[in-house]
Amino acid sequence: MTQRVVLLHGLWMPGLAMHWLAGRLQHAGHSTEIFSYASVGEGPDQAVPRLIDTIGDRETHVVAHSLGGLIALQALCDAPDLPVRRVVCLGAPLTGSGAAAGMLRWPVSTMLLGRSGDLLRSGLPCWQGRAEVGVVAGRVPHGLGAFFGHFAGDHDGTVAVEETRLEGVTDHVVVDASHSGLLFSAQAADQSVAFLRSGRFGL
């Protein structure tokens, strides 16, 4: 049976950024839809209700990159009865982004983060929803995040691995990819397919 998967992109990205990953999920037998939103101008206040409407009453999985993971989980917090079974978050700063917090100290950077700044900075306190959530983090440090935030451990150039470790998630895995590279990583795609299939990542 074909399973529906809704994909969400991250900050400053168009929906097209999820095209390669959508293709990998289709090859694995899923029916994919890309949810696009204006990450700076629209932000979570508008994106979350639209995502709730998009999911509707159809059983759905979600695969989301970076900010998209925060928006997906916020939608499930706001509408806990949504029929979402599993969520894969790729490089999502679920406990809050140190790089975003650093950017927000500069007035001009506030415009770059727009309406998504607060959610990126604060993250979520924990996960208590009924959906199974798996997190794929990257550890190839290629990105501009180090200019704005200090990374004490492994990171993907934008998000620290520790920032992806949200209490209450079902599973967590670290792969060799940068933040943007997670969208084109065969390893990340295979792990996403494994989690959507079984609720666990492959070893």
Side-chain angles (χ1 to χ4, degrees):
M1 179 179 176
T2 301
Q3 294 177 308
R4 179 196 192 202
V5 180
V6 173
L7 296 98
L8 281 76
H9 58 84
L11 184 70
W12 305 327
M13 289 185 174
L16 186 63
M18 307 301 292
H19 182 75
W20 184 89
L21 183 55
R24 293 292 294 249
L25 295 174
Q26 290 168 11
H27 184 72
H30 297 288
S31 172
T32 63
E33 302 173 26
I34 295 175
F35 177 83
S36 295
Y37 62 100
S39 60
V40 175
E42 184 177 14
D45 289 347
Q46 296 179 49
V48 166
R50 286 206 302 109
L51 178 60
I52 292 171
D53 289 343
T54 296
I55 292 171
D57 58 1
R58 296 173 57 192
E59 185 170 311
T60 301
H61 294 318
V62 174
V63 175
H65 179 243
S66 194
L67 171 63
L70 284 163
I71 287 177
L73 295 190
Q74 186 63 59
L76 295 179
C77 289
D78 292 354
D81 292 330
L82 282 177
V84 173
R85 186 177 178 192
R86 293 184 178 127
V87 180
V88 176
C89 296
L90 303 168
L94 299 179
T95 65
S97 167
M103 289 183 69
L104 288 170
R105 290 196 291 265
W106 301 86
V108 66
S109 297
T110 302
M111 294 185 294
L112 295 176
L113 297 179
R115 297 177 182 273
S116 296
D118 288 342
L119 182 59
L120 281 168
R121 176 174 55 187
S122 64
L124 301 171
C126 63
W127 176 245
Q128 298 178 324
R130 65 183 185 183
E132 297 175 329
V133 178
V135 180
V136 181
R139 59 185 167 205
V140 174
H142 295 164
L144 298 176
F147 288 103
F148 302 101
H150 174 70
F151 298 126
D154 288 340
H155 61 94
D156 64 10
T158 301
V159 174
V161 170
E162 284 303 310
E163 293 173 342
T164 69
R165 296 188 186 278
L166 182 67
E167 181 182 352
V169 302
T170 304
D171 205 356
H172 186 283
V173 69
V174 182
V175 302
D176 295 320
S178 66
H179 191 66
S180 297
L182 286 166
L183 296 176
F184 307 99
S185 163
Q187 192 179 7
D190 289 345
Q191 292 287 6
S192 298
V193 169
F195 189 85
L196 295 183
R197 181 185 299 122
S198 68
R200 291 288 174 181
F201 292 121
L203 298 178

